[in-house]
Amino acid sequence: MIALLLIPLLLPFTLPVLARRALTRLDPVTVLRALTSCALACAGACVAALGALVLIGLLKLSPFASLGDLVHPLRTPSDVIVLPAATLATGALSLGAWTLARSAVRQVRAFRTARTEADRRPAAGDLCVVDSPHPDAYALPGRPHRIVVTTAMLRGLGPAEREALFAHERAHNAGGHHYFLAAAELAAHCHPALHATRATIRLAAERAADESAAAAVGDRRLLAQAIARAALAGNAQSSTRPGFAPAATTGPVPQRVAALLAPGDDRSNTRRWIALLVTVCAILPAAAATTGVVALHHEVEVAQGEQTAARVR
């Protein structure tokens, strides 16, 4: 049982490596969806495993065992590591909950501030121009969707580059990329390995928007130039936008520009890689956590004397 609960805690460390490799081989939209699903599955399995470890540790103590109507404290074959593991699991869950709550409060405040500022400005369609000396541009979710761009960013780009930048931000809103980024942020607070996966998910969202914008503009070189110039202009100042509001200037821009300028490659093995990614990094941790929780439930029933009562009948 303990070994099963350790699988969801150890296996996510393989996800960042597989995620980076998948992004170099597969379509960005497919990678974005698959990685986000894997990250959420790993996060859920990790929380379930940590919760089970905490419960095991509590039920091994007589006061908590009596509260759970156990005839005797829970007995496990690995008593030496259970209490330390339960203590570490309690600390991990508490830390994750605290950092998640703090991040959520910060992100909600940033979103409300950005949304209020955008709603106060006259909009030309979905475009909202903010008078600011700091170059910035991002896709702002909500109803209606907005593309927020500062006057400093507009001054740094030519007319064609502006349209390319707007096409990129519109692709973010059309693709609902803020949902993927919010899910990645949630998962990142559940397991340390998912911090690195969050960065890859962000890059996948930017690559997906790049490809969509390139198709809309019809000039990959122009889009690459616009992204590079926007990143150079906006790199000097930290943005106040919400973390789940995607922007063309985020992520490793040189890598994105190189992908836009590179010739197309063969993606015939897409389904095979995605199947491997989902199976190893999503299904296996979830299955191990589920099996471990079921085994814990069985042990609790034994400790409650239900098995003995069933034999008597």
Side-chain angles (χ1 to χ4, degrees):
M1 178 174 58
I2 301 298
L4 285 172
L5 295 176
L6 291 179
I7 292 177
L9 304 179
L10 298 177
L11 199 59
F13 286 105
T14 65
L15 185 57
V17 177
L18 290 175
R20 289 191 295 269
R21 183 169 297 182
L23 189 55
T24 62
R25 294 172 178 259
L26 308 180
D27 174 68
V29 175
T30 305
V31 173
L32 177 62
R33 294 172 179 172
L35 279 186
T36 305
S37 300
C38 287
L40 288 176
C42 286
C46 178
V47 171
L50 290 174
L53 287 173
V54 172
L55 184 58
I56 291 172
L58 291 177
L59 294 180
K60 288 186 70 64
L61 303 177
S62 298
F64 291 100
S66 61
L67 290 176
D69 295 327
L70 272 65
V71 176
H72 53 76
L74 193 65
R75 296 169 184 170
T76 58
S78 51
D79 291 343
V80 176
I81 65 171
V82 167
L83 290 181
T87 303
L88 292 175
T90 303
L93 285 175
S94 301
L95 180 61
W98 165 249
T99 58
L100 177 60
R102 186 176 60 180
S103 175
V105 170
R106 183 173 63 250
Q107 296 297 335
V108 168
R109 287 177 178 173
F111 173 72
R112 287 180 176 175
T113 300
R115 193 73 211 185
T116 300
E117 184 178 18
D119 290 341
R120 282 202 298 252
R121 308 281 178 171
D126 60 350
L127 183 63
C128 176
V129 179
V130 176
D131 187 13
S132 172
H134 305 317
D136 197 12
Y138 57 92
L140 183 64
R143 296 185 179 179
H145 291 322
R146 296 290 190 197
I147 298 172
V148 179
V149 59
T150 64
T151 52
M153 180 64 80
L154 292 177
R155 287 193 295 266
L157 301 176
E161 293 171 339
R162 294 175 189 172
E163 292 303 320
L165 182 67
F166 299 158
H168 175 95
E169 304 302 349
R170 289 191 178 98
H172 278 310
N173 281 332
H177 293 167
H178 50 282
Y179 292 117
F180 296 96
L181 298 184
E185 180 69 21
L186 170 65
H189 293 279
C190 298
H191 195 284
L194 298 179
H195 284 272
T197 306
R198 175 181 56 185
T200 307
I201 291 175
R202 286 183 173 275
L203 177 56
E206 295 304 325
R207 288 280 294 110
D210 288 343
E211 294 298 327
S212 178
V217 173
D219 189 340
R220 299 177 69 88
R221 185 172 294 275
L222 173 62
L223 179 62
Q225 179 179 327
I227 290 173
R229 293 192 63 178
L232 289 174
N235 190 41
Q237 300 290 340
S238 59
S239 175
T240 58
R241 60 177 174 265
F244 56 85
T249 57
T250 58
V253 174
Q255 184 176 341
R256 292 169 51 202
V257 170
L260 282 170
L261 299 180
D265 54 357
D266 181 19
R267 302 183 187 274
S268 58
N269 293 327
T270 296
R271 293 191 181 277
R272 186 195 315 170
W273 276 92
I274 291 301
L276 175 64
L277 187 66
V278 172
T279 300
V280 174
C281 295
I283 297 179
L284 186 55
T290 302
T291 306
V293 171
V294 170
L296 171 61
H297 182 263
H298 174 74
E299 293 296 331
V300 170
E301 286 183 337
V302 172
Q304 287 175 333
E306 294 184 11
Q307 297 292 329
T308 302
R311 293 192 190 98
V312 171
R313 295 193 193 99

